[in-house]
Amino acid sequence: MQISGKKVLVIGAAVTGLPVVEQLSRKGAYVTLNDKKTKEEIMEMLKDTKINDINIVGGSHPSELAEECDFIVVSPGVPLDIPLIERARGLGREVIGEVELAYRLTDTPIAAITGTNGKTTTTALLGEIMKESGRGTFITGNIGHAMISEVNNAKPEDVFVLEASSFQLESTMEFKPHISAILNITPDHLDRHKTFENYIDAKCMIFQNQKAGDYAILNKDDEETYKIADRVKCKTLFFSRKEILEEGAYVENDWIIIKLGERIERIIEIDEIYIPGSHNLENALAAALMAFCLGVEVEVIRLVLREFKGVEHRIEFVDEINGVTYYNDSKGTNTDASIKAVMAMKRPIVLIAGGYDKGSEYDDFIDTFEGRVKELVLIGATADKIEKTAREHGFNNIHSVKTFEDAVAECAKLAMPGDCVLLSPACASWGMFKNYEERGRIYKSLVRGLRGTN
């Protein structure tokens, strides 16, 4: 890709925007960085970087910037229907995202993972398997580390393990991983994508350019994911925890089995997998199958599945205080993720939920409460909506609070020895926190602070 001498507009000065600017500047582009933050705020963000000699436009997204660039790189947090981007496309300017740019600048093969839920855990798990196999591995993407930051370090014999969100995928054009996986698809981010069909289309862009010799791995047990199999143009493999497959990864007699061609391998007994829950069994099936397709030995896959302890903020044990266990599932940013967290708990639950409204409905979430959730503590913009749905379904043990601190304190009062307190909001963190990581870190700090109050 020709970059030197090009005028490039980068929209968004955040996790991906800054490393994009640094890479483009290093390759000789004339860069304009645009963000809704003020110019002074952007300059403050740049002070500890190696970025200089760029044009900064802050405060808004002026449409006239489209006329002054050769192409645009847009951050995933920026909607693609803003007037500036629409103007650029009308002028024939190419609009791509950071993942697309990184793909064009590397010869390193990519194993890309998407799905409404489970993609961070599966990405981290596959990354650990690949590292243990001895292969140079770069774990990147929506997991928190931009792929563009590593394109100068990765060699052709290495591998990128990439977590890809719908926001990242919808700005791809030529992107082609060697192995792709879609773990599941349930309604999410409808405030951004407008319709469920648009959301599905964004997810499917992970395999749109794959060809013979590549692999697309899909969840046979997930209805929406299974339905898109006919869109795939490369070798399609399924994983399932519910049925025995002719080919792929499945569970038989409590063992994970992988069958590929004439080769059949027993990987691990499911009780030996360290991370709990049926959803994590699906994640393990997907990661094991991807690793197997990448040539990793069975012994290596088995070892990592036995030892991998999961990721921060996803059904993460925090502490046990006065006989009550506390779990942090701040990454439960939609109802499907939180349903899985509720189902994974073995104790009666005092649940903290609520946050930013992404246009979700909460009926299925509430339906999982029976026999599991004893008290519901609500926070954030969706509190009234969730409460209304809960009462319609006959659940009335509801406590609405104003602050996150109040929520943790209320749970400590309500929980009895033998219970668990679970933060699994079923909503995004925006409006109260910078991101789900900050929400999770604050929750853990507040929980550990309870020790000083007893």
Side-chain angles (χ1 to χ4, degrees):
M1 182 181 186
Q2 178 61 37
I3 291 177
S4 179
K6 295 288 186 179
K7 293 182 289 184
V8 186
L9 173 62
V10 177
I11 307 177
V15 175
T16 63
L18 298 186
V20 163
V21 170
E22 189 168 357
Q23 185 69 238
L24 291 169
S25 297
R26 183 182 299 153
K27 291 187 176 294
Y30 300 103
V31 179
T32 295
L33 176 58
N34 171 237
D35 196 279
K36 281 189 173 181
K37 300 180 185 71
T38 67
K39 183 173 182 178
E40 292 71 25
E41 289 173 325
I42 298 171
M43 292 178 68
E44 179 67 20
M45 295 174 68
L46 296 177
K47 72 177 185 179
D48 294 325
T49 72
K50 298 178 182 178
I51 299 169
N52 49 50
D53 296 327
I54 65 167
N55 182 37
I56 297 173
V57 179
S60 65
H61 298 305
S63 295
E64 57 266 26
L65 291 177
E67 303 174 16
E68 303 167 8
C69 66
D70 294 311
F71 67 92
I72 292 175
V73 183
V74 59
S75 294
V78 178
L80 298 183
D81 58 358
I82 64 172
L84 168 55
I85 293 177
E86 291 182 341
R87 174 63 176 156
R89 285 175 165 165
L91 293 169
R93 307 290 194 263
E94 189 175 45
V95 179
I96 63 174
E98 172 264 331
V99 166
E100 176 71 19
L101 178 65
Y103 168 75
R104 296 185 188 186
L105 296 177
T106 186
D107 294 323
T108 303
I110 301 166
I113 298 161
T114 196
T116 306
N117 297 300
K119 54 187 179 292
T120 299
T121 297
T122 305
T123 300
L125 176 55
L126 177 60
E128 290 305 310
I129 294 172
M130 298 312 300
K131 286 181 180 179
E132 185 66 28
S133 75
R135 189 165 176 178
T137 304
F138 298 88
I139 304 171
T140 63
N142 198 54
I143 200 167
H145 185 56
M147 183 177 168
I148 196 73
S149 300
E150 299 290 1
V151 293
N152 297 328
N153 301 321
K155 299 183 288 292
E157 63 269 25
D158 297 335
V159 63
F160 279 108
V161 179
L162 174 74
E163 178 187 341
S165 71
S166 60
F167 293 2
Q168 291 168 313
L169 289 168
E170 68 177 352
S171 58
T172 58
M173 297 178 69
E174 300 172 8
F175 174 69
K176 187 182 82 68
H178 173 49
I179 298 179
S180 68
I182 300 182
L183 305 178
N184 46 63
I185 304 176
T186 55
D188 197 15
H189 299 299
L190 301 188
D191 56 326
R192 165 80 169 253
H193 295 292
K194 311 305 181 188
T195 68
F196 188 34
E197 290 72 22
N198 289 343
Y199 176 62
I200 293 173
D201 289 344
K203 291 294 190 187
C204 289
M205 292 180 82
I206 198 169
F207 57 64
Q208 67 172 349
N209 296 314
Q210 288 186 288
K211 299 176 182 177
D214 298 322
Y215 295 92
I217 292 171
L218 305 176
N219 187 348
K220 181 70 182 299
D221 302 335
D222 183 76
E223 180 181 358
E224 295 296 340
T225 307
Y226 183 58
K227 285 195 300 189
I228 63 174
D230 59 358
R231 299 197 198 186
V232 180
K233 299 173 185 176
C234 64
K235 175 71 172 179
T236 305
L237 295 172
F238 294 99
F239 64 91
S240 173
R241 62 181 176 85
K242 296 180 179 179
E243 60 180 278
I244 296 173
L245 305 176
E246 292 184 8
E247 194 171 38
Y250 54 92
V251 177
E252 183 177 22
N253 297 325
D254 294 328
W255 276 79
I256 286 183
I257 307 294
I258 292 180
K259 182 177 181 182
L260 190 58
E262 298 300 316
R263 188 179 174 190
I264 302 176
E265 296 286 354
R266 287 157 60 90
I267 307 299
I268 191 172
E269 286 189 279
I270 59 176
D271 286 345
E272 291 186 74
I273 300 170
Y274 189 93
I275 49 178
S278 58
H279 62 292
N280 277 324
L281 175 55
E282 292 182 356
N283 298 337
L285 285 161
L289 183 55
M290 295 181 81
F292 194 81
C293 291
L294 286 164
V296 178
E297 295 295 327
V298 169
E299 292 76 13
V300 173
I301 299 172
R302 182 181 298 127
L303 173 67
V304 178
L305 289 176
R306 282 175 176 158
E307 296 183 351
F308 180 75
K309 294 179 171 58
V311 297
E312 189 180 17
H313 311 300
R314 190 64 179 117
I315 317 183
E316 176 193 9
F317 174 78
V318 179
D319 205 344
E320 180 168 349
I321 302 172
N322 296 332
V324 177
T325 56
Y326 290 79
Y327 286 89
N328 165 32
D329 190 54
S330 184
K331 204 173 188 310
T333 58
N334 57 63
T335 56
D336 192 58
S338 292
I339 286 169
K340 289 178 168 63
V342 168
M343 298 290 285
M345 295 295 103
K346 304 301 183 185
R347 295 180 169 201
I349 302 167
V350 179
L351 176 66
I352 302 175
Y356 177 85
D357 190 355
K358 295 191 286 184
S360 301
E361 299 298 328
Y362 298 95
D363 300 83
D364 290 347
F365 180 45
I366 303 299
D367 284 342
T368 64
F369 285 11
E370 186 173 359
R372 296 184 178 90
V373 177
K374 56 184 290 189
E375 306 285 347
L376 176 62
V377 177
L378 294 173
I379 56 173
T382 57
D384 291 345
K385 184 176 181 180
I386 297 174
E387 179 174 356
K388 181 175 182 293
T389 304
R391 295 195 187 281
E392 288 173 351
H393 285 252
F395 187 91
N396 295 298
N397 295 346
I398 302 168
H399 314 264
S400 291
V401 296
K402 295 295 184 184
T403 70
F404 204 46
E405 291 80 2
D406 290 343
V408 173
E410 184 71 11
C411 289
K413 293 177 184 176
L414 294 168
M416 304 295 292
D419 292 345
C420 69
V421 173
L422 171 66
L423 169 68
S424 191
C427 302
S429 58
W430 310 319
M432 295 181 72
F433 308 93
K434 292 178 182 177
N435 46 46
Y436 74 81
E437 292 98 335
E438 181 184 66
R439 178 170 62 188
R441 286 193 294 269
I442 291 173
Y443 172 72
K444 291 192 287 185
S445 176
L446 290 170
V447 167
R448 288 163 182 154
L450 294 173
R451 287 193 170 277
T453 63
N454 296 308

